Amino acid sequence: MLDARASSARVWSSPRLSVAFKHGFRSTLGGRRFSTTCAATTPLGDIVKGKVVVVGAGIAGLATARALSLAGMPCVVLERDSGPRKEGASIGLWPNAWRALDVLGVGDDLREVHPVCDRVELRGKDGSLLNSFTLDECDAPEKEYRGVARNGLLQALGKSLPQDCIKYDVGVEGLNTDSDFPILSTSEGEIKCSIVVGCDGVRSPIAESLGLSPPNYAGYSAIRGVAEFGSKGLPVSSSTLLNYWGAGVRFGMYEIGENKLYWFVSFNIPESLDKKTAEQIKEEALEYAEGFDPVVKDCVAATPLTSLSRSKLGDRWMVPGVSIGAGQVTLCGDAMHPMTPNLGQGGCLALEDAVVLARTLKAAGGVDGDRGEVAKALREYESVRTKRVMPLMVQSNVRGALLQLDKEPVVAARDLFVKFGFSPARFLDPGKFDCGDL
């Protein structure tokens, strides 16, 4: 499939791609400053030769690179930004994610600084308790849940990679799969690759080039932040995952260590492309906090502007078992399966993807394997992962629709059910998955 931004008429690596010296030298190309981490000037085509090319240095990309490295397959990560991402506020990691992180060798480092959450409280808008339970009450063999700072997770994965594995300031704009080998269209020209893994997020150019549609807007958006309480201490229990449910608006929060609380608010709103400043985002969150338990407003007020983000929420449904890649190209993480966050499984599934993909590629011989066998292996990986992900995507979508109900009588009925009819027995079911070893 040919992306309009990539021409198959030429396969070349830009001789202009300079790689900065570690002493901080920066060069200018076409009016844009760039730098990378390699110690000598090397054409990008030579850098990627004989390696799996991972597009994107987010959670999915760095986890995939780590898994590939552990499996003995050289790889290179191409990242659009000029340095390590400062991405998001926090991510909740359920047992399936911790299994994957242990396989990747970074689980224990993260456990040292992020406390366990072992209790869930479901509350009404005013703070009245609807239901509460401990994770020990759930029917699951493993019950580990921790909130982890996204930057901390990225740092743990990044420092585990071989030196010079990540190449910054290389934007990937599209992909051509019409040739024998995939051709990436990058900010530095077109490059011929052996294997490409698109880990470039919800709005993935690789997914678009493969013909996948953008995610469908779910009808609500979210603001996320991290409140810092310092020596005052946390205003809520340090081991509790808290939820406050209103009509069309809900807040959630949990500790991520160092007297910090991650929080989010999701709210029904028409889809819009309007951009807001951090000040406007905080003001908006404070407006949504009106009428909620006072602790909600306290958390928003204690949040530095630098930790705030605002995003539209949506998903892209697929037929389980379907092939989504082409040739020696596949996807991982949000690029493959963007989903709403109502199960807290998006990042967890990306970590699973990384381990399963690396094991699958290793069995097919990696970059040295027969191209046909590699392509066949990648389609099998996609089949396995879409069968795993799709039921969770639907479940998350349905849960979100119920939690975002905005008609007061229906909300009252929902809350009564949660108070008197809800059982936590299957609460941990989405995390009952073992990604296996490499």
Side-chain angles (χ1 to χ4, degrees), residues 203 217 220-224 267 281 309-313:
R203 297 169 185 83
Y217 184 55
Y220 49 98
S221 295
I223 295 173
R224 301 173 173 93
F267 45 91
I281 292 173
S309 64
R310 188 182 191 276
S311 58
K312 299 182 294 183
L313 303 179

Side-chain angles (χ1 to χ4, degrees), residues 144-158:
E144 183 176 9
Y145 177 83
R146 300 171 192 262
V148 174
R150 282 182 176 264
N151 284 343
L153 177 55
L154 290 174
Q155 289 169 8
L157 291 169

Side-chain angles (χ1 to χ4, degrees), residues 3 10 17 36 45 57 95 176 234 320 396 435:
D3 186 276
R10 295 177 293 127
L17 177 62
T36 63
N176 171 16
L234 299 178
S396 182
C435 61

Side-chain angles (χ1 to χ4, degrees), residues 305-328:
L305 295 177
T306 52
S307 81
L308 290 167
S309 64
R310 188 182 191 276
S311 58
K312 299 182 294 183
L313 303 179
D315 54 24
R316 179 176 61 232
W317 291 18
M318 304 169 286
V319 177
V322 70
S323 295
I324 58 175
Q328 298 100 279

